[in-house]
Amino acid sequence: DTRIAVVTGASSGIGEATARTLAEQGFHVVIGARRLDRLEKIAEDIGGTALELDVTDQDSVDAFAAVLPRVDVLVNNAGGAKGLATVAEADLDDWRWMWETNVLGTLRITKALLPKLIESGDGLVVTVTSVAALEAYDNGAGYTTAKHAEGVLHRTLRGELLGKPVRLTEIAPGAVETEFSLVRFEGDQDRADKVYEGITPLVAADVADVIGFVASRPSHVNIDQIVVKPRDQASSG
Ligand code: NJP
């Protein structure tokens, strides 16, 4: 039986690269995101299945989960950031978007697919958090708090599933050149480019390689957490 890997947020960046890597490893990959046109092109390329998915919408998550016959791997990758602001000037709409997408989005899809991951007999949940899940930095609290919460959600599940046939790995990337910064700054390319000043960022395939490594370990091996950063990216405290 072909093993099925689900990758959320696979219409670009790390998710797209991960879908390609897992397809090369022999998984049938089901890719979900809001931009179905992009997904369909990627699915055609990799021989996978494209399904519309909005992780902030429970009906969308339920419809997505309902059509999956089995799930062996779930990559919780859908996410992102909006804005940069001090706590004093926090934009509540930006915070709401980040919490809905990164925290409740990951909760919704994980909850919906958990029974199938357990049923698989050898399930794997990979959650793409961030170095922002491990650190605090000025102007970043909307994103860092959301990514911390997503990380704690994932690590809690790791404890709760002990004794069940599901492995859980958190991947915490540093700066990766994707559409992430464009989304954060709402299409402002100049601001997005400044993020990478002084460092050579990772590319999406660097992170996908790590996820591919995790997915190809034997079923008794759990890799709890991997932090992957550009060589010259400092810790931010
Ligand atoms: O960014 P991007 P990345 N429902 O913008 C999707 C984390 N990370 O690959 O829905 C479903 O290219 C969106 O698809 P669409 C980051 O927090 C990154 O860098 O079609 N999907 C797109 O496919 C995130 O968790 C960096 O717009 C939704 C994807 O998410 C993960 O890496 C650093 C959605 C985002 O792809 C992948 O981000 C770091 C929704 N409601 C952590 N909303 C970095 N790049 O530097 C968005 O530490 N998506």
Side-chain angles (χ1 to χ4, degrees):
D1 277 356
T2 307
R3 286 167 57 76
I4 295 187
V6 171
V7 183
T8 70
S11 58
S12 60
I14 296 167
E16 175 182 348
T18 300
R20 291 182 186 282
T21 297
L22 295 179
E24 278 163 19
Q25 290 184 345
F27 288 96
H28 181 85
V29 185
V30 177
I31 52 179
R34 296 164 304 179
R35 290 170 294 179
L36 188 58
D37 52 332
R38 286 209 192 193
L39 290 179
E40 279 170 345
K41 285 192 195 111
I42 298 163
E44 203 181 304
D45 249 27
I46 65 173
T49 303
L51 291 177
E52 197 168 346
L53 171 69
D54 181 349
V55 296
T56 69
D57 176 348
Q58 189 63 50
D59 291 342
S60 170
V61 170
D62 290 343
F64 181 87
V67 297
L68 298 173
R70 63 180 280 174
V71 180
D72 302 285
V73 175
L74 165 63
V75 182
N76 279 318
N77 167 77
K82 280 259 159 62
L84 268 179
T86 60
V87 171
E89 295 190 337
D91 180 321
L92 272 290
D93 289 335
D94 286 348
W95 276 61
R96 220 168 268 122
W97 187 91
M98 288 187 269
W99 277 75
E100 266 296 338
T101 307
N102 296 286
V103 188
L104 298 182
T106 290
L107 172 61
R108 280 189 197 94
I109 194 81
T110 304
K111 231 186 124 179
L113 299 188
L114 204 49
K116 286 176 178 143
L117 284 154
I118 293 170
E119 224 172 274
S120 148
D122 183 18
L124 171 68
V125 178
V126 174
T127 303
V128 180
T129 63
S130 172
V131 290
L134 312 169
E135 301 172 351
Y137 50 82
D138 294 353
N139 303 307
Y143 185 59
T144 55
T145 59
K147 283 302 197 185
H148 271 74
E150 186 184 28
V152 172
L153 160 67
H154 172 93
R155 285 167 237 149
T156 303
L157 193 60
R158 165 95 172 102
E160 290 174 355
L161 290 181
L162 284 178
K164 299 254 177 9
V166 181
R167 292 176 285 151
L168 288 102
T169 302
E170 177 182 0
I171 305 288
V176 190
E177 198 164 12
T178 63
E179 294 174 17
F180 176 87
S181 295
L182 264 188
V183 172
R184 166 168 246 166
F185 300 120
E186 293 178 331
D188 185 334
Q189 189 70 56
D190 288 344
R191 285 189 82 189
D193 289 344
K194 285 208 179 77
V195 172
Y196 307 121
E197 263 171 17
I199 55 164
T200 303
L202 302 179
V203 294
D206 296 326
V207 183
D209 282 350
V210 174
I211 296 173
F213 173 78
V214 169
S216 57
R217 293 312 88 201
S219 64
H220 67 288
V221 177
N222 198 92
I223 298 175
D224 282 21
Q225 188 185 58
I226 294 180
V227 181
V228 51
K229 296 165 75 167
R231 186 194 61 201
D232 295 330
Q233 184 177 355
S235 287
S236 39

